[in-house]
Amino acid sequence: MYHGEDAQEDFLVLSGECTLIVEDEERHLKAWDFFHCSPGTHHIIVGAGEGPCALVGYSFGAAVACAVAAVQPRVERLALVAPLVGMMELDWDALAKSGVPTLVVCGELDPHASPAALRQAVAGRFAVQGIAGAGHGFQRGLPELARRVTAAL
């Protein structure tokens, strides 16, 4: 199943391996490989290998990462960055039942994923961390976001 967005997307493999299929072409990715996806580009990323994995989902991608982590036993850690509450359906109950350690982080100035809205959505299942001065794109606060996600994974 291909996926395409109206906006650009970026992907960074933090550890392990995966297969990227973009416009019917397969590419093998490994740790620290980066993929930039222009708007409208059809793509999918498929896990490869036998070992455990960690997922990071940002914005709309947080809903996908949440859904995968809730049912895939190979996911051993999860970071949800600025998940769009109210715009995307996230199954917080299923994620909590999975037992996957989960970081939920957002910018304190994010109009799409505010700390207050996220705290209400997670209803105590997970702690929500806000990053001071950061909005949805983390133009301010990117080093702090990187530090928190790296520490969680």
Side-chain angles (χ1 to χ4, degrees):
M1 177 178 96
Y2 273 120
H3 160 83
E5 289 287 337
D6 292 335
Q8 67 181 6
E9 296 179 286
D10 293 313
F11 302 92
L12 175 65
V13 179
L14 297 175
S15 67
E17 301 174 17
C18 62
T19 300
L20 167 69
I21 304 172
V22 59
E23 302 290 343
D24 295 322
E25 184 179 321
E26 286 191 25
R27 298 178 189 166
H28 180 78
L29 302 178
K30 60 188 183 321
W32 301 111
D33 282 344
F34 177 81
F35 171 64
H36 172 79
C37 188
S38 299
T41 303
H42 293 102
H43 62 281
I44 189 168
I45 298 175
V46 181
E50 301 286 327
C53 68
L55 295 178
V56 178
Y58 165 71
S59 193
F60 285 109
V64 175
C66 179
V68 170
V71 299
Q72 177 50 256
R74 289 183 45 210
V75 177
E76 65 176 10
R77 300 227 180 267
L78 175 66
L80 301 176
V81 180
L84 297 173
V85 293
M87 297 173 80
M88 297 291 295
E89 195 65 36
L90 283 87
D91 191 344
W92 298 107
D93 287 330
L95 182 59
K97 287 177 186 172
S98 75
V100 175
T102 301
L103 167 70
V104 181
V105 64
C106 63
E108 289 186 351
L109 304 177
D110 189 338
H112 308 293
S114 72
L118 277 170
R119 285 186 183 100
Q120 183 178 1
V122 303
R125 296 177 200 93
F126 305 96
V128 175
Q129 299 181 18
I131 296 180
H136 192 70
F138 291 91
Q139 289 84 357
R140 294 184 185 169
L142 192 55
E144 180 61 18
L145 174 63
R147 187 191 68 73
R148 292 187 193 191
V149 169
T150 301
L153 301 180

